[in-house]
Amino acid sequence: MRGLKLPLSQTQRVRLQRAFEKLQSLSAMANSDASVTVADTIPVNYEDAFLKGHGTTDLNGELVATVCGVVERVNKLVYVRSLRARYKPEVGDVVVGRVVEVAQKRWRLEINFSQDAVLMLSSMNMPDGIQRRRTALDELNMRSIFEENDIVCAEVRNFQHDGSLQLQARSRKYGKLEKGQLLIIDPYLVKKSKQHFHHLEQFGIGLILGRNGYIWIGEHVEARDSMVIDQAKSTEQSTVVEGINQAYTPLEMRQNICRIGNAIRVLTSLGFNVDLNLIMETVELSSSLKIDIHDMLGSEFHVLVAEMEAERRILTTKRKR
Amino acid sequence: MVGLSVGEKHFIQGGIAQDLRSDGRKRLTYRPIYVETGVIPQAHGSARVRLGATDVIASVKAELGKPSALQPDKGNIAIYVDCSPTAAPMFEGRGGEELSTELSVALQRCLLGGKSGAGAGIDPTSLVVVEGKVCWDLYIDGLVISSDGNLLDALAAAIKAALSNTGIPKVNVAADATSDEQPEVNISDEEFLQFDTSGIPVIVTLTKVGRHYIVDATSEEESQMSSAVSISVNRKGHICGLTKRGGVGLDPSIILDMISVAKHVSEQLINKLDSEIAAAEASEEES
């Protein structure tokens, strides 16, 4: 119930409490002895040689946790992984970022990390698709590819030796994102999965779950040769702007985008992991109960979603046994 | 404030044009309002209002003072707003001062009326103790903790809630006071008079984006506005104040249209706010 500030009636409060209790009882059975808070001693066999990892410290000869989290053991390494940390990038993560600066031969993107990530010009496909060296002319035309405040989807390539992050956007599915909305949630709610790009055919909507907590919901654009179109756009900026004015997103697609957006907002305020199945179930719950899109952010729907999730988890744990 | 890409701006404008904003609201729908009263026990009255991600606190403190010579039968009310640096990075140091003065002036205009005190939303004559000699000075302070657009409406709602939470101590005046001396007053610690807040107006801000107006804009939508008009309306449907922000000029017929839209929206808002304040006071008494 952390941070859930909603006007709840008495019955709604009771129902929500009950749903959370069910969920807590399910997770407590899993690994109750592995979670620690600050200054808890970590159960370790002191006779074995072990390595003290992140989040631990030696206090009076005992191994004590310095952060709240879950104890992880990998071979001889013992460390505490905190649950609500800042986004910790891993190589190969799909992230969504916003361009904050166009610098020499690179773009700097803000990705909800302690530093801005760098997307080199050489890590982007050129508009004409030819693999070649980037010339000075390419550098001058960087703005025609990405400008400031553009939303870009890319993949983490590696960490530089000084700790900064490098991204790459070589595949067709990465690149500039338009015609949609960006949602910012806590990064720990997006777990690593096989697919981060989701194409919802029945709505015609593309959903990108960035591991850094930036989620993009928008019209689905086919993995296209967008760079070719962009070149034509840059030479006819004014006419394109007028064209855009007449071509707003159609109402039905917009309704679906808003419904999915609100489903994600409800899940994050309740603290549930955001993945495609849960989002689709929430959306179906809201449309089956004919709940108005804006009412999805009201207290009744929050309580319903919490109850639905509690039921679903009870069923899955029963099936596992 | 974070910038927005061209695609996002286009999406927001399209949503407003099609009457379906980013979170599913219609153009004239408010975000859910959450009110808590009595958050500052040392003040005579206080309230915290959450409007989506916008979070503001208002507090009311009363002190005995002397009424001004021009208006001996009225008390003094001062409204001041402070934007905390936790609300946005640009408020750090003196960055928030401009916005603070703008909000304070707008609230004073909407709630306190003109210089002569005419047309005030809050009735200052109820604050006088001994005419010409002793009156209550009300200091209303607003604090912006988190800013996601529509600060003026949230502050006005918080002030209304804080005033309904305010208990002014009862004052006993020594009966045998001559006309020249300052009368002795005895401030009671036990008995409190509740402020009458049924006449206090609410502020409805209409933000014009493209050809349409929206109510309760988020900060993303406010970045797209051409102009905004804040209208303070009371329960009877009377206009108590009007403020226009934004550089784009407006045709007078549009302003009249906005006023009628604001009157229509304010009815629902006043009812919703009153029920939320009543619920907040009830839960405060329970705890």
Side-chain angles (χ1 to χ4, degrees), chain A residues 168-235:
Chain A
Q168 60 108 337
R170 273 204 180 279
S171 165
R172 292 253 183 98
K173 54 186 179 176
Y174 300 126
K176 182 146 76 166
L177 299 171
E178 292 173 311
K179 297 194 192 161
Q181 59 170 325
L182 183 75
L183 279 172
I184 301 182
I185 65 174
D186 284 325
Y188 70 95
L189 292 171
V190 184
K191 296 282 179 257
K192 195 167 177 92
S193 75
K194 288 200 200 90
Q195 268 273 55
H196 285 275
F197 293 89
H198 302 285
H199 173 36
L200 305 169
E201 267 118 16
Q202 69 268 44
F203 302 132
I205 287 175
L207 178 66
I208 303 181
L209 299 170
R211 288 273 328 225
N212 56 339
Y214 282 17
I215 298 191
W216 175 261
I217 315 168
E219 283 182 43
H220 179 74
V221 193
E222 285 304 318
R224 72 286 182 214
D225 221 345
S226 64
M227 298 306 147
V228 178
I229 308 172
D230 267 338
Q231 262 225 321
K233 251 194 207 169
S234 64
T235 50

Side-chain angles (χ1 to χ4, degrees), chain A residues 6 25 66 74 90 111 130 162 173 226 242 303 310:
Chain A
L6 286 171
S25 64
T66 53
V74 177
E90 291 162 22
I111 57 164
I130 305 175
D162 58 359
K173 54 186 179 176
S226 64
E242 283 166 40
V303 176

Side-chain angles (χ1 to χ4, degrees), chain B residues 155-214:
Chain B
L155 281 164
I159 290 176
K160 190 172 170 94
L163 283 170
S164 51
N165 181 243
T166 303
I168 301 197
K170 233 175 164 179
V171 180
N172 300 318
V173 186
D176 54 346
T178 57
S179 54
D180 292 334
E181 285 172 10
Q182 198 70 3
E184 281 180 30
V185 286
N186 192 8
I187 306 181
S188 149
D189 279 333
E190 306 293 317
E191 295 169 0
F192 289 92
L193 293 170
Q194 289 297 112
F195 213 72
D196 177 25
T197 57
S198 54
I200 296 186
V202 291
I203 299 185
V204 174
T205 302
L206 285 169
T207 311
K208 189 161 191 289
V209 177
R211 289 203 310 259
H212 305 272
Y213 337 122
I214 52 175

